Amino acid sequence: MADIHFYTGEALPLELHKVRIVQHLNLVPVERRAEAIAEAGYNTFLLRNRDIFLDMLTDSGVNAMSDRQLAAMMIADDSYAGSETFTRLTDALERVFGTKYFLPAHQGRAAENIIAMTFVKPGTIIPMNYHFTTTKAHITRLGGTVEEVVIDEGVKVTSDFPFKGNFDLEKLEKLLKEKGDRIPFVRIEAGTNLIGGQPLSLENIEKTADLVHRYGKLVVMDASLLQDNLYFIKVREEKAKNLSIPEITRRISEKMDIIYFSARKLGFARGGGISIHDKSLYLKMRELVPMFEGFLTYGGMSVREMEAMAVGLDETMDMDVISQGPLFIEYMTKELIKLGIPVVTPAGGLGCHLDASRFIPHVSQEEYPAGALGAAVYIAGSVRGMERGTISEQREPDGSEHLASVELLRLALPRRVFTASQVKYAVDRIKWLYDNRNLIGGLRFVEEPSSLRFFFGRLEPVSDWPEKLVRKFREDFGESL
Ligand code: F0G
């Protein structure tokens, strides 16, 4: 990352790339936004892209690709078996991780399915710093359970601790001691998604892996958000100051038995897979790939995406590339803090996270504050975020609501997609909304699927608060969009 300071002292992230292909965006009037979110059952997953200005739902599969990635897609070798593209991708993974074996899968959750089917059976326990939705679903589907062993700081919304994704090593050791016979592997999630893209330190990763190996268990890393975690290790950890990004990556990968990832995030393409050092482990999982994904040299992926991924993985070793996301997120987070708006701190990877519990404390958890804030942010600015609160949880078996430990609205910043002025616009509309937060009310379900309700569920406002918000917007902004 180039060390560039503005003469005026302004803290603004600077893009070290230029835009060469653009896509037009619509910004529809506030009245249409209110209509669109009603049509979508107040669920941002159900909005149509034509009604969205800044899509901050996710960074998954929507990061900008480089010219080198697009060029590589033109030389993809489209053969069912023995594709040269597969060899190039396996070589890229070996350069980056030092792994000899690679099992391709169509995306991250497919890799999770293969790992879970190989190691999880009824009664199995999988300890991890924190779960991800699809990870947990695959483990519980097979009768296993997840034990979260993140440090206490990890679930504190505001903190200045630089590595909130760290394992609590004492808790982990206790678990290994007491229930080790039920634990086949421990999962380390780099750049911990659901607690705000929070990283682990290199030291914690190494100590965790050593501890798990002492107990004879496997160490599995979910590297989907590794690029952000690498950046944070480099800039936040004294121990890593003099290590390059490829060196940090190797230090991590040498300690892992299995590394799997969503290439919709890592590698800036679309796909996924599992990298493995050891041949016998590779053979243990191999037959599931042709059964569920596709032949061993493509695993359900397009070879074009695989070429892009190979280049994207090499580009992930470049600080200029991987710093862009975290620097934009830090900028957005700091601007919001300056305006007094409650956010998750410190800024992490993936996106900026608004703390709905403090943004609209008058909306009770039973009325889904993070979901309501998601609908309100969309009405205010045509900015689409993702609810990460109680709606994203599942009800208890007795039908009672499982209240989430945090109520967050995630505003993802796909890498190299938005400009600083677009981020400034989002901050401006969120500030307007914050000044009018008393107008925001809660939501209730009208259609509630029994699983993954956050994807398809439909809700309605508990009062006419969306109309009030639209009226206030018109008063304050006049004819402006
Ligand atoms: N692991 C992590 C940490 C993830 O963030 C994701 C996806 C997956 C696994 C699953 O990968 O989508 O390729 O099947 N996260 C996306 C998100 C969906 O929006 O955060 P996938």
Side-chain angles (χ1 to χ4, degrees):
M1 184 181 48
D3 187 15
I4 302 162
H5 292 281
F6 281 78
Y7 176 61
T8 54
E10 187 169 3
L12 198 65
L14 185 64
E15 295 88 342
L16 289 170
H17 53 259
K18 63 179 177 182
V19 178
R20 296 184 58 226
I21 296 182
V22 296
Q23 185 172 31
H24 178 75
L25 290 171
N26 287 333
L27 181 47
V28 296
V30 67
E31 291 79 8
R32 170 63 203 148
R33 301 193 303 249
E35 240 169 59
I37 196 73
E39 285 163 14
Y42 293 85
N43 179 348
T44 57
F45 273 101
L46 302 180
L47 283 166
R48 296 169 65 151
N49 223 23
R50 65 167 69 143
D51 291 317
I52 296 166
F53 178 48
L54 300 181
D55 189 2
M56 296 185 165
L57 185 76
T58 178
D59 64 335
S60 175
V62 291
N63 296 294
M65 287 172 129
S66 70
D67 49 358
R68 291 180 57 240
Q69 285 183 291
L70 286 172
M73 290 171 98
M74 298 305 290
I75 55 155
D77 178 17
D78 222 341
S79 39
Y80 185 89
S83 160
E84 276 305 305
T85 296
F86 179 74
T87 309
R88 281 192 282 273
L89 177 55
T90 308
D91 289 349
L93 286 158
E94 187 169 356
R95 272 195 301 283
V96 171
F97 291 134
T99 45
K100 287 248 178 306
Y101 304 96
F102 176 58
L103 291 170
H106 77 273
Q107 61 183 86
R109 68 199 69 182
E112 288 174 334
N113 180 42
I114 290 166
I115 295 168
M117 286 211 288
T118 307
F119 296 103
V120 177
K121 54 183 195 298
T124 298
I125 298 172
I126 308 293
M128 52 188 70
N129 44 346
Y130 209 76
H131 80 280
F132 182 69
T133 50
T134 55
T135 325
K136 189 171 175 175
H138 281 294
I139 293 167
T140 53
R141 182 176 70 82
L142 295 164
T145 49
V146 161
E147 287 273 356
E148 281 164 351
V149 268
V150 74
I151 52 169
D152 292 343
E153 204 69 25
V155 285
K156 280 192 199 143
V157 172
T158 55
S159 163
D160 53 12
F161 193 73
F163 294 106
K164 281 164 65 175
N166 277 355
F167 272 85
D168 182 324
L169 293 168
E170 267 176 41
K171 271 195 214 156
L172 180 60
E173 179 149 27
K174 191 164 178 281
L175 203 58
L176 286 163
K177 236 184 227 157
E178 290 172 3
K179 298 183 181 163
D181 54 326
R182 292 165 62 191
I183 299 174
F185 68 84
V186 171
R187 171 179 173 274
I188 301 180
E189 184 179 313
T192 331
N193 186 329
L194 293 187
I195 55 170
Q198 299 293 328
L200 301 93
S201 68
L202 176 59
E203 177 164 303
N204 189 264
I205 293 172
E206 290 183 328
K207 284 191 169 158
T208 302
D210 289 344
L211 172 66
V212 176
H213 284 149
R214 272 205 302 283
Y215 281 81
K217 310 294 175 192
L218 297 172
V219 185
V220 175
M221 171 165 276
D222 180 342
S224 307
L225 290 169
L226 182 65
Q227 64 281 42
D228 296 339
N229 206 130
L230 289 170
Y231 166 83
F232 289 122
I233 288 175
K234 176 75 186 161
V235 300
R236 291 184 184 173
E237 192 168 354
E238 193 54 40
K239 169 178 171 162
K241 235 181 167 166
N242 298 318
L243 297 176
S244 66
I245 294 295
E247 283 166 346
I248 299 170
T249 311
R250 277 304 183 95
R251 288 271 290 263
I252 294 171
S253 64
E254 274 161 16
K255 297 273 183 192
M256 300 300 128
D257 299 293
I258 295 173
I259 300 169
Y260 78 88
F261 56 93
S262 167
R264 299 174 67 81
K265 297 178 191 280
L266 183 72
F268 317 116
R270 288 150 208 93
I274 309 171
S275 282
I276 311 138
H277 292 290
D278 176 63
K279 191 169 181 183
S280 62
L281 260 182
Y282 161 77
L283 292 176
K284 218 173 164 173
M285 293 184 276
R286 188 174 66 173
E287 71 186 49
L288 294 172
V289 174
M291 186 118 67
F292 292 99
E293 299 300 311
F295 189 67
L296 278 178
T297 52
Y298 71 93
M301 286 185 276
S302 133
V303 281
R304 288 174 173 242
E305 294 291 337
M306 289 164 70
E307 290 284 358
M309 195 190 305
V311 174
L313 284 164
D314 281 332
E315 291 181 350
T316 299
M317 296 296 100
D318 180 348
M319 258 316 242
D320 284 348
V321 172
I322 61 172
S323 60
Q324 199 271 344
L327 286 173
F328 263 59
I329 293 161
E330 186 184 24
Y331 168 71
M332 185 169 184
T333 304
K334 283 190 172 159
E335 291 298 302
L336 289 166
I337 291 172
K338 271 193 226 161
L339 298 169
I341 295 159
V343 284
V344 173
T345 58
L350 206 170
C352 176
H353 293 71
L354 300 182
D355 180 5
S357 311
R358 285 183 295 143
F359 200 113
I360 39 173
H362 54 279
V363 175
S364 76
Q365 265 195 295
E366 285 75 12
E367 291 186 350
Y368 312 123
L373 187 58
V377 166
Y378 172 71
I379 293 172
S382 199
V383 174
R384 166 159 83 159
M386 188 190 289
E387 196 268 2
R388 296 276 82 158
T390 296
I391 296 177
S392 296
E393 297 286 340
Q394 296 215 30
R395 281 188 189 270
E396 303 291 359
D398 68 2
S400 64
E401 196 64 90
H402 179 95
L403 300 179
S405 49
V406 284
E407 292 285 343
L408 305 179
L409 180 69
R410 174 175 103 179
L411 297 167
L413 287 175
R415 296 160 191 86
R416 299 180 287 182
V417 169
F418 297 127
T419 62
S421 51
Q422 287 173 328
V423 172
K424 250 188 165 157
Y425 162 86
V427 168
D428 181 81
R429 290 301 188 263
I430 293 166
K431 166 67 174 154
W432 174 80
L433 191 62
Y434 191 60
D435 289 347
N436 291 285
R437 60 191 178 278
N438 291 336
L439 296 179
I440 306 173
L443 298 174
R444 64 179 159 243
F445 269 103
V446 284
E447 274 173 44
E448 186 181 345
S450 58
S451 74
L452 298 176
R453 62 182 185 172
F454 62 95
F455 280 139
F456 320 116
R458 301 182 69 84
L459 302 99
E460 64 181 10
V462 296
S463 66
D464 65 346
W465 65 262
E467 285 101 86
K468 287 194 178 123
L469 214 51
V470 171
R471 274 202 296 279
K472 186 68 171 47
F473 186 96
R474 275 284 160 251
E475 267 171 55
D476 292 349
F477 288 93
E479 292 301 299
S480 165
L481 295 174

